[in-house]
Amino acid sequence: MDHFLYKDGALHAEDVSLAQIAAQVGTPFYVYSSATLTRHFKLFNEALEGLPHLVCFAMKSNSNQAVIKLLGDLGAGMDVVSGGEYARAKAAGIPGERIVFSGVGKTRAEMRMVLEGGVRQFNVESEPEMEALSAVASELGVEAPITIRINPDVDAKTHEKISTGKYDDKFGIPISRAREVYAMAAKLPGLKVIGIDVHIGSQLTELAPFELAYNKVVELTHQLRADGHTIERLDLGGGLGIPYERSNTAPPLPMEYGALIKKCVGDLDVEVEIEPGRLISGNAGLLVTEVIYLKNGENRDFLIVDAAMNDLIRPAMYGAHHDIVPVVEPAPGVETSTYDIVGPVCESGDTFAKQRTLPPFKSGDLMAFRSAGAYGAVMSSEYNSRPLIPEVLVQGDQYAVIRARPTFDEMINRDTIPEWL
Ligand SMILES: *Cc1c(COP(=O)(O)O)cnc(C)c1O
């Protein structure tokens, strides 16, 4: 459920008309609903009620300061994958003890920064990383709390570019070698083993792969405890999928996912962390764009819009589907047309949808891409020298620009021409 609905014939974010935002901010822009973000976070929190737990928002899905602050104020922790994300979390007021540091390629500089600033735990992904962390922590005279990310060799049944839990993926330590690696961790100075981490992929639409992976974690917990390790925390990752197409059957609900977690690990006397990103932010955001031209091709009609692949790359990168809706509510029973929706960038991949059946559009009309709150703005670039588009946050009847569109000068002045040129 989200808070983007038609009221009086116009699409709104909560109580604010999107046409009104477009008039003030200009198109294209991202808009997020505070109510939807809040609702999604609370669904996870309630789903784990009864278990000691922390819901850590995967910041890579949406790392705007305002979004982080909103979720942090609700009690969320943060899952960060870089020094930059860590700095963002801290800047938004998230205390170190609620920040988990994930990622396959943490540098020593990042480790130092995070150890100095405070961290809940490192999710370590390889032996060389473990040795580096041991060295950095020892140098600083501290102990780094760690879980080790295990790769359970489970097929997440999702898009290959977002699968992370098979042996062919670059993530984690093969579960078959886990005991050996934990034994090594226990001997290294500067490390404190506290648990196990697993994350098998993104946009999972079934619970079965989670169950397979979590049951392997349970078995490993017993083995590692028998080996003498302290396993008091399980980080069970993120990855629960969202309905990108309203017409499709919906993925499992957070409540069902929570019930599965309780069933699998409820008796282990552990604290549970989960790291949802997409499910919290995805359907809490839209991208609003204006049709520049309707171009009638030889055998298809193109709607050329002012958003492009640099603003929202998911369709070009993963062939992802985004539902597209008009900002002016179509009259009931209106005759539909079929369009290719494309951006202005000089790449054939700059296509948002092919042969999509929609109400009629003409130049100057506004449309919204739904489910754009996750992996949208964070993946954008200035390709074709298109300035990053603004982000807007709505709460009730108020809204604010939470990242402004840079001017051309701001964009250009980041380059430096050397004096010898
Ligand atoms: C990407 C990622 C997540 C979040 O995945 P979603 O599908 O957005 O829930 C969580 N944990 C880790 C380690 C990740 O890499």
Side-chain angles (χ1 to χ4, degrees):
M1 205 203 90
D2 62 45
H3 297 78
F4 302 106
L5 299 169
Y6 290 109
K7 289 179 196 169
D8 303 324
L11 191 58
H12 281 61
E14 303 189 25
D15 298 327
V16 181
S17 141
L18 294 180
Q20 184 193 334
I21 301 177
Q24 195 213 323
V25 175
T27 55
F29 62 91
Y30 280 103
V31 57
Y32 310 127
S33 159
S34 304
T36 311
L37 288 165
T38 301
R39 179 185 140 83
H40 288 167
F41 173 75
K42 286 188 171 166
L43 283 178
F44 276 113
N45 229 0
E46 285 160 17
L48 294 181
E49 215 166 280
L51 274 185
H53 69 271
L54 183 67
V55 178
C56 295
F57 177 57
M59 263 178 67
K60 74 176 196 279
S61 72
N62 187 321
S63 58
N64 188 289
Q65 290 285 286
V67 171
I68 303 314
K69 166 95 168 48
L70 183 156
L71 293 170
D73 286 352
L74 295 170
M78 294 294 146
D79 176 58
V80 307
V81 293
S82 70
E85 283 192 355
Y86 179 82
R88 277 183 178 275
K90 288 304 280 281
I94 311 295
E97 59 266 28
R98 277 199 264 143
I99 304 177
V100 172
F101 192 11
S102 298
V104 296
K106 304 175 194 80
T107 65
R108 286 165 194 252
E110 287 173 324
M111 291 170 178
R112 200 166 299 121
M113 166 185 182
V114 166
L115 281 171
E116 282 171 350
V119 68
R120 182 174 179 80
Q121 98 234 2
F122 288 81
N123 292 338
V124 173
E125 298 224 16
S126 66
E127 290 115 308
E129 183 197 337
M130 207 160 77
E131 283 165 348
L133 182 59
S134 164
V136 174
S138 302
E139 234 172 77
L140 293 174
V142 297
E143 269 201 327
I146 68 163
T147 71
I148 296 176
R149 178 167 176 181
I150 54 107
N151 182 326
D153 199 27
V154 163
D155 184 354
K157 302 212 170 79
T158 184
H159 192 285
E160 60 171 277
K161 287 188 185 163
I162 48 178
S163 164
T164 61
K166 291 279 290 172
Y167 277 177
D168 289 346
D169 301 321
K170 69 179 173 182
F171 300 94
I173 281 164
I175 192 163
S176 54
R177 291 197 19 248
R179 291 174 75 182
E180 174 193 328
V181 177
Y182 271 87
M184 176 182 159
K187 289 202 199 94
L188 284 172
L191 301 182
K192 181 170 177 242
V193 173
I194 58 165
I196 307 173
D197 171 44
V198 69
H199 170 74
I200 57 173
S202 203
Q203 186 53 18
L204 271 73
T205 52
E206 299 168 34
L207 289 181
F210 286 119
E211 187 166 13
L212 277 175
Y214 295 168
N215 283 335
K216 290 190 178 192
V217 169
V218 171
E219 201 189 316
L220 182 63
T221 301
H222 293 306
Q223 288 173 347
L224 292 176
R225 282 178 172 170
D227 291 347
H229 301 288
T230 303
I231 304 295
E232 59 190 20
R233 186 178 294 166
L234 298 181
D235 183 333
L236 299 176
L240 191 59
I242 62 171
Y244 277 99
E245 290 187 59
R246 285 198 152 180
S247 49
N248 272 10
T249 47
L253 300 171
M255 197 50 85
E256 300 168 293
Y257 173 68
L260 172 74
I261 289 177
K262 287 182 193 169
K263 185 180 96 178
C264 293
V265 311
D267 295 333
L268 284 181
D269 189 25
V270 284
E271 182 181 18
V272 167
E273 279 164 9
I274 54 170
E275 305 168 342
R278 190 188 310 268
L279 202 140
I280 290 178
S281 56
N283 280 332
L286 304 181
L287 189 161
V288 178
T289 182
E290 184 179 311
V291 176
I292 312 175
Y293 299 115
L294 163 60
K295 174 166 146 174
N296 303 115
E298 188 61 43
N299 49 22
R300 56 183 66 208
D301 293 333
F302 296 97
L303 287 174
I304 302 167
V305 299
D306 64 2
M309 64 189 287
N310 68 296
D311 305 312
L312 176 66
I313 203 167
R314 299 189 64 260
M317 189 144 105
Y318 312 117
H321 172 102
H322 286 269
D323 274 353
I324 295 175
V325 292
V327 167
V328 174
E329 188 172 19
V334 72
E335 214 171 297
T336 54
S337 297
T338 300
Y339 302 106
D340 280 14
I341 292 93
V342 301
V345 162
C346 310
E347 301 255 359
S348 298
D350 188 19
T351 298
F352 290 112
K354 283 193 161 154
Q355 297 298 286
R356 187 73 66 87
T357 301
L358 295 171
F361 275 93
K362 58 182 188 319
S363 155
D365 287 348
L366 297 174
M367 65 169 63
F369 300 153
R370 297 177 53 85
S371 313
Y375 308 107
V378 285
M379 283 192 170
S380 56
S381 76
E382 289 179 343
Y383 187 41
N384 278 210
S385 283
R386 295 167 46 87
L388 295 181
I389 68 176
E391 295 173 275
V392 175
L393 183 67
V394 172
Q395 183 171 61
D397 61 3
Q398 51 179 343
Y399 69 97
V401 175
I402 57 175
R403 186 180 74 188
R405 191 190 315 274
T407 63
F408 287 145
D409 278 346
E410 282 165 347
M411 184 171 67
I412 294 163
N413 290 338
R414 291 204 307 263
D415 298 356
T416 308
I417 299 177
E419 61 185 30
W420 40 262
L421 199 67

